Amino acid sequence: MLHAMQDSPSLLRSRGLRATEPRKQVIAALSCGSVPRSPQEIFEAVEGAVNLVTVYRMLEDMEKAGLVHRHHPTGKFVLCPMPEQKGHHGFLHCVRCGKTEEFMEPALCKIENTIAKRAGFTPVSHLSAIDGHCAACR
Amino acid sequence: MLHAMQDSPSLLRSRGLRATEPRKQVIAALSCGSVPRSPQEIFEAVEGAVNLVTVYRMLEDMEKAGLVHRHHPTGKFVLCPMPEQKGHHGFLHCVRCGKTEEFMEPALCKIENTIAKRAGFTPVSHLSAIDGHCAACR
DNA sequence: ATTAGTGCAAATTCTTTGCACCCTA
DNA sequence: TAGGGTGCAAAGAATTTGCACTAAT
């Protein structure tokens, strides 16, 4: 997350997006605290410095670019800590404090592929979210 | 699913909900085709026979009762094929035709628990959805 | 200089709330 | 007949669209 905050311009450019002021601000807001945020919450976090409509459009672009992910079932957004890595990203989400961390676990992927195959499905993408209490909120 | 269609009244009553005409219609609509449906889509499926607002309230109640589940990331609703069974329910969803089936896989649960523990999380609930192409849409 | 990106205003769409009436158990 | 459910009207949120203007490359 920090790497994104420290150098959001190159992060953006590496994904084919221009490094604009609004985008840098939104990334900065998202990189604070590992908590998923809704468009409205991001808008408030930047204190209205970026238009809400722009936040919507931006998140759409950044999601396509793999820079942010939507956390389900909340539907909020988090910065992807490893945008270069392909594969199944999953979330660990604390229902008390909201802290959310992303993980990648090949073994989980493998089982999901097995389940899909068994049912005659050709898997394309996976989504998994684990809700619970984090160490601090135990 | 068929069992629900054939006897939605007892299904409803077994969960403490009254077997009303609107509810029977919504369950019938949901049990057709194993496709997740939004409140609006359900409203259209019953051809306006049930008020849209009622559909919303109903889905809320039925979800609490464990009769329907929300499918993520679409946010639409499906009838739960096994409301008696506890544990982690997951979805297999065809991105072409929309067909969605639910599964339960202890091995998946187990890995997710491991992931959570490893990160110091106490897991409370899991969500997983696999998108892909079903046998018919291959 | 180009063209992606942004802001503003306004339209849509989605979801919730309040309240009176109805119908299931 | 009592209380859970429903419909209707209306409010409130959330999300999208069009278009002119700005700014990054």
Side-chain angles (χ1 to χ4, degrees), chain A residues 13 18-20 39 52-53 56-57:
Chain A
R13 293 199 192 95
R18 290 183 181 179
T20 67
L52 179 56
V53 175
Y56 273 97
R57 288 195 274 227

Side-chain angles (χ1 to χ4, degrees), chain A residues 48-67:
Chain A
V50 182
N51 187 286
L52 179 56
V53 175
T54 301
V55 173
Y56 273 97
R57 288 195 274 227
M58 215 149 116
L59 289 169
E60 197 183 321
D61 296 341
M62 290 171 70
E63 188 179 27
K64 261 183 209 144
L67 280 180

Side-chain angles (χ1 to χ4, degrees), chain A residues 6-71:
Chain A
Q6 288 161 357
D7 196 7
S8 51
S10 55
L11 183 62
L12 285 163
R13 293 199 192 95
S14 73
R15 298 259 140 190
L17 299 175
R18 290 183 181 179
T20 67
E21 198 46 47
R23 279 182 184 149
K24 285 187 271 181
Q25 296 213 41
V26 167
I27 289 180
L30 280 175
S31 45
C32 167
S34 305
V35 180
R37 292 181 168 83
S38 66
Q40 180 67 43
E41 287 166 344
I42 292 169
F43 175 69
E44 283 158 17
V46 300
E47 294 173 312
V50 182
N51 187 286
L52 179 56
V53 175
T54 301
V55 173
Y56 273 97
R57 288 195 274 227
M58 215 149 116
L59 289 169
E60 197 183 321
D61 296 341
M62 290 171 70
E63 188 179 27
K64 261 183 209 144
L67 280 180
V68 301
H69 288 159
R70 217 181 266 259
H71 168 261

Side-chain angles (χ1 to χ4, degrees), chain A:
Chain A
M1 246 102 347
L2 288 186
H3 76 275
M5 193 167 192
Q6 288 161 357
D7 196 7
S8 51
S10 55
L11 183 62
L12 285 163
R13 293 199 192 95
S14 73
R15 298 259 140 190
L17 299 175
R18 290 183 181 179
T20 67
E21 198 46 47
R23 279 182 184 149
K24 285 187 271 181
Q25 296 213 41
V26 167
I27 289 180
L30 280 175
S31 45
C32 167
S34 305
V35 180
R37 292 181 168 83
S38 66
Q40 180 67 43
E41 287 166 344
I42 292 169
F43 175 69
E44 283 158 17
V46 300
E47 294 173 312
V50 182
N51 187 286
L52 179 56
V53 175
T54 301
V55 173
Y56 273 97
R57 288 195 274 227
M58 215 149 116
L59 289 169
E60 197 183 321
D61 296 341
M62 290 171 70
E63 188 179 27
K64 261 183 209 144
L67 280 180
V68 301
H69 288 159
R70 217 181 266 259
H71 168 261
H72 292 283
T74 64
K76 299 184 177 183
F77 296 85
V78 290
L79 213 48
C80 174
M82 36 193 165
E84 330 69 27
Q85 315 219 37
K86 281 301 286 177
H88 177 186
H89 294 194
F91 295 104
L92 269 172
H93 174 241
C94 176
V95 295
R96 296 230 172 97
C97 70
K99 183 164 170 271
T100 299
E101 51 184 85
E102 212 165 326
F103 64 83
M104 197 171 353
E105 175 54 61
L108 189 60
C109 266
K110 201 149 157 271
I111 288 203
E112 293 185 330
N113 282 331
T114 305
I115 293 171
K117 297 270 170 58
R118 181 197 305 157
F121 270 71
T122 306
V124 172
S125 68
H126 302 174
L127 153 71
S128 73
I130 305 175
D131 278 4
H133 304 312
C134 73
C137 292
R138 187 77 50 76

